[in-house]
Amino acid sequence: MKTLRGLVLVLVTVLALPSLPAAAQNPDQAAVFVQKLADDTINLLKSQTRGAARDAQFRKLMGAGMDVEFLGRQVLARYWRTATEAERQQYQTIFRDYMLRTITSRLARFEQEALKVTGTTKGPKDDTIVSSDVVGKGEPIRMDWQVRPMDSGLKIIDVKIEGISMLITTREEFGGIVQQRGMSGLLDAMKNKI
């Protein structure tokens, strides 16, 4: 249950990321970036917006907070190279909706929590790892956010909850489906979850 609570927070907060110019990144700005996204997410969740209007708001925030196409390619990993162009396009379209539906379906279970940034460290490339604790009911949950400067600004490219990478976990899940049922099987499985 602790992991589910953390996963819900990750999925929700990634959507609420504001975008900062890539050249402006330093560890302090990355920390402010993550803290602001947590605060904005909580405010959004408290709002009365529901249905299609909420989906539209989350879709807009998702586009501002992360590079969905980049994440889609990273999740698919080696299978991206073997997919046809038509499969890639269909996958990216479904991946965006898959992420939106996954997030909104879990919002009902979201308990109001708070995220407190606890520090930053240098990550790979130009990335900054922002460490934080999710505090609320129960034990705090450790979350590490990998923030990368991209052409469109700062973006979250991975989140680790208690040391478990959400990018790698999703990559393994999707890879297992592709191995068993092929790319069309993955696309069907994603559609069914939507």
Side-chain angles (χ1 to χ4, degrees), residues 30-83:
V32 169
F33 177 70
V34 170
Q35 187 64 64
K36 182 170 177 10
L37 79 89
D39 296 342
D40 289 349
T41 299
I42 290 169
N43 290 335
L44 179 62
L45 291 173
K46 288 179 180 178
S47 77
Q48 298 300 313
T49 307
R50 299 287 181 258
R54 184 164 88 173
D55 283 357
Q57 267 189 316
F58 276 115
R59 193 177 298 275
K60 182 178 177 183
L61 290 170
M62 187 168 60
M66 60 186 179
D67 186 330
V68 178
E69 288 186 20
F70 172 82
L71 289 174
R73 287 190 309 271
Q74 295 302 304
V75 166
L76 203 54
R78 67 179 182 202
Y79 299 109
W80 179 261
R81 292 186 295 274
T82 59

Side-chain angles (χ1 to χ4, degrees), residues 16-194:
L17 295 173
S19 203
L20 296 174
Q25 183 179 13
N26 68 41
D28 291 338
Q29 288 174 323
V32 169
F33 177 70
V34 170
Q35 187 64 64
K36 182 170 177 10
L37 79 89
D39 296 342
D40 289 349
T41 299
I42 290 169
N43 290 335
L44 179 62
L45 291 173
K46 288 179 180 178
S47 77
Q48 298 300 313
T49 307
R50 299 287 181 258
R54 184 164 88 173
D55 283 357
Q57 267 189 316
F58 276 115
R59 193 177 298 275
K60 182 178 177 183
L61 290 170
M62 187 168 60
M66 60 186 179
D67 186 330
V68 178
E69 288 186 20
F70 172 82
L71 289 174
R73 287 190 309 271
Q74 295 302 304
V75 166
L76 203 54
R78 67 179 182 202
Y79 299 109
W80 179 261
R81 292 186 295 274
T82 59
T84 67
E85 187 58 36
E87 287 172 332
R88 289 177 182 177
Q89 289 177 3
Q90 187 178 12
Y91 167 79
Q92 288 289 18
T93 300
I94 295 169
F95 184 74
R96 182 174 296 277
D97 288 338
Y98 174 87
M99 290 192 62
L100 178 68
R101 292 294 170 229
T102 299
I103 292 163
T104 56
S105 70
R106 293 183 175 159
L107 285 177
R109 296 183 218 140
F110 180 75
E111 295 177 24
Q112 288 192 10
E113 310 275 347
L115 183 133
K116 180 182 176 189
V117 170
T118 59
T120 61
T121 56
K122 172 85 173 88
K125 300 186 180 189
D126 292 329
D127 298 355
T128 299
I129 307 300
V130 178
S131 298
S132 65
D133 287 328
V134 178
V135 293
K137 295 180 180 179
E139 294 289 316
I141 299 170
R142 169 77 185 253
M143 296 178 68
D144 294 315
W145 305 78
Q146 189 169 346
V147 179
R148 176 172 291 173
M150 296 190 164
D151 291 342
S152 57
L154 295 179
K155 302 292 181 182
I156 297 293
I157 62 164
D158 193 14
V159 179
K160 290 183 180 176
I161 302 172
E162 299 288 344
I164 299 172
S165 166
M166 296 297 99
L167 177 69
I168 293 171
T169 301
T170 306
R171 180 182 294 158
E172 290 171 354
E173 176 188 355
F174 281 19
I177 295 170
V178 173
Q179 284 180 343
Q180 291 177 357
R181 299 186 279 177
M183 190 66 184
S184 62
L186 173 63
L187 296 174
D188 289 342
M190 291 170 68
K191 286 179 197 173
N192 288 338
K193 280 199 173 183
I194 294 171

